[in-house]
Amino acid sequence: MPGDAPLLERLRAICGDAAVLTGGDMAAYATDWRGMFHGRPLCVLRPAGTEEVARCVAACAEAGTAIVPQGGNTGLAGGATPDESGTEVILALDRMTAIRRIDPVGMTVEVEAGTILQTVQDAVRNENRLLPISLAAEGSARIGGLIATNAGGVDVLRYGMTRALVLGLEVVLPDGQILSRLRHLRKDNAGYDLKQLFIGTEGTLGIVTAAVLRLVPLPRHRATALIAVPDIASAIALYARAQNEIGEALSAFELISGAGLDLISEHMGQTAPVHADWVLLIEAGSSLPGLREAAEKLLEAAFEEGWATDGVLAESGAQADALWQLRESLTEAEGKAGGAIKHDISVPIPGMDAFLQEAGAMLRDVAPEARLNVFGHLGDGNLHYNVMNVAKEDAARVNAALHDMVAAHHGSISAEHGLGQYRVAEWARLAGAVEHDLTHRIKDALDPAGLMNPGKVVPTRG
Amino acid sequence: MPGDAPLLERLRAICGDAAVLTGGDMAAYATDWRGMFHGRPLCVLRPAGTEEVARCVAACAEAGTAIVPQGGNTGLAGGATPDESGTEVILALDRMTAIRRIDPVGMTVEVEAGTILQTVQDAVRNENRLLPISLAAEGSARIGGLIATNAGGVDVLRYGMTRALVLGLEVVLPDGQILSRLRHLRKDNAGYDLKQLFIGTEGTLGIVTAAVLRLVPLPRHRATALIAVPDIASAIALYARAQNEIGEALSAFELISGAGLDLISEHMGQTAPVHADWVLLIEAGSSLPGLREAAEKLLEAAFEEGWATDGVLAESGAQADALWQLRESLTEAEGKAGGAIKHDISVPIPGMDAFLQEAGAMLRDVAPEARLNVFGHLGDGNLHYNVMNVAKEDAARVNAALHDMVAAHHGSISAEHGLGQYRVAEWARLAGAVEHDLTHRIKDALDPAGLMNPGKVVPTRG
């Protein structure tokens, strides 16, 4: 096929006609799952393998056509949705779903980028191993997207972000070359660690097509508790004690507000066994005996110190799952109650109490009618500070005011969701000149034509 | 001071006369600690703070003078030693030693780059926290160097490489700008994670001047065992069982050969309580009760399955320390026995047995007179495959043959020590064209004049 053949024709020749979607067939790919971001792609490509991805990317590069990579389309920042120009190509990885190899001894798994997280979790669990990425969208999020956004979730406290689990990557570069570093090695300091460039950069430097991920032992014992605390300072004191008492076994330390429990009760018909202005959902797991004993001791200490006012330690796996169901219903309940301006912020844990007080006072000033649904990963300093009942035209003002406060507290305006297209302007506003400069240098070095997921993460130069 | 003043004069004006060493004062900096790499620097700079580092770097950039950053000078690959031209400036961080802040609740520590690892370890231990980087040079290695080389050590199995512990960095860029990202956050997905560029790149893209590191809970209980195994396959079977039985508590799984034990006995006067062709030094730690019970159960299983033929579980901290003393004496014993051609390789764990057999057979062919001292971090797939009794003129041939075998086993020729100047040619020989290309693109984007630690990590272009 000659180089000047129309692009669609070339792409069909590469992937086959059925793998190049146009018109109404593109609907599920053109909009994000929440219906918040809408794009109008030129076409949707569904290549069957890495070679096809590479040939598609090379063809688009030659045509000067931009590419938006897409995994499970479960992102919260519009990172996988194209613009409205009708010129961008969505490259979906959803046909590349092979689990190539599970190594339970070396504790690694090699998968294609389109594999669904839960599919991998289930497969490695059969081998007594855990892939410790746990988030609400795990039934539809795909490995490539998790890597491209450096996804977080409820297990980060113990196991780190997705970056910490990536041992090897295969990436198609903006010019169609393939970088193949699918190594099953826990230690590799030979040369620049090039794979880091493609983790958390949301497809702006290349497209992840396959990965080797690190697995961990599957804990045999589990302890789950829901604890009412009198205030945030008590919650943080309990967190510090938990690190002393159960240490590495602590895997989740989640915060839910009383307002959040009310939303769940009202809209989901679920009632929590404890209620207070703030409650904690704490989870620990271990292969060692003695976990429950240590957990009980920790709770005793919490009551003695006055850090807990009420609480329940799950007596069974089913009861533990029910407690987690509360946490996982928050987003849906919030949606049913009319939605919210979502924030994904982190601040240093010792400053969390002051931050929440100052942010609350600021909001009463900026948006007196607002209602809050604050929840998230207190043990990571990461909260979803969601503001409900605010008029659409006030959203930008509320965003900016909250982000300014986060910056004043040395925090991050995007802890685990990434910038995508949603937060890129706020990043651009708050980042320093050196960060802007370095970001553009890296982007220009790898994608000089700016064809990889334009408008995401990297601000467009003025 | 005008821009065309001689460089030394400008540097003295920036740092003060006493902080610009020349002549014989440079001796301790010009040669690595083993005396293997010798350089002839123009001068040694010892700036007192980040601003001074930045001004020194800007002055050198303006003069077109290359800089070799140096931490504790404990590297094993010559990454901190200048060339013999007499034109390169060593920039030593050894006056920047402040521990700025320890946060035992948020579990972070902020330190200047010149702080000695053990100093930080001791300081955080007082707060019931652990900085989990553990290596033989910890009494002299400095934080900046550990980050610049992404150092490994005996705790990687559980806690990951140094990269996994870096939360924030302050870096002086090749043009003298300061990138300041000293965030005490466990989660931060706002924009490209620029700090990754400076971890493991050995000062070729900038100079780390300060860092925020993640801490972990200090385990309260410890179990240490020395186990004789009949063969490598048994060692690996025991490793897999250990992951099932004690899981996250397993922190070290070290291999020592019988030949290594003989070296220790002969040259250090230390006798191991067990002896075999292969022995394992296993360590676990936990804050939970029940660790010892689980460790005893694991050893019972090992004997039942025939994976262990002899062994001792330490009864006291002192006995545990004595077992570790054996492991830590290996390098000194090897040196006293005449030294070795050192290798720092990793291969996937399930292939380790075959690798060792094939490598042994290859060596009997290539260097029949060679004696081996193989030891290291079996649980990470990382061995120091050290070859003794080989003539100097045969070293390159032995290196190349072993590295070819590592490559055939999908391993790494530099697992934890970095490439420095020692292994850069071997990396260049074995890496693919895409890796070369990407490496140079990154280097050129950040250091277009090539003045940051030239000749290290990045091969000189032909």
Side-chain angles (χ1 to χ4, degrees), chain B residues 429-448:
Chain B
R429 184 174 73 82
L430 293 165
V434 179
E435 286 163 79
H436 277 267
D437 176 36
L438 267 184
T439 299
H440 283 294
R441 285 195 202 199
I442 297 299
K443 174 71 172 173
D444 293 346
L446 268 74
D447 180 27

Side-chain angles (χ1 to χ4, degrees), chain A residues 103 107 129 149-150 181 187-189 192 204 244 248 286 289 346 350 377 382 412 414 416 435 441 445, chain B residues 103 129 149-150 158 181 187-189 192 204 244 248 286 289 346 350 377 382 412 414 416 435 441 445:
Chain A
D103 171 7
M107 302 209 291
R129 297 292 178 254
T149 57
N150 187 29
R181 302 264 300 179
K187 279 176 154 180
D188 180 14
N189 267 347
Y192 287 3
T204 60
N244 294 344
E248 70 285 351
S286 179
S346 60
H377 320 294
N382 172 205
S412 172
S414 180
E416 62 173 3
E435 286 162 79
R441 284 197 204 198
Chain B
D103 172 6
R129 297 293 176 253
T149 57
N150 186 28
R158 177 170 184 173
R181 301 263 302 177
K187 281 177 154 178
D188 180 13
N189 267 346
Y192 287 4
T204 59
N244 294 344
E248 69 286 351
S286 179
S346 60
H377 320 293
N382 171 205
S412 173
S414 180
E416 60 173 5
E435 286 163 79
R441 285 195 202 199

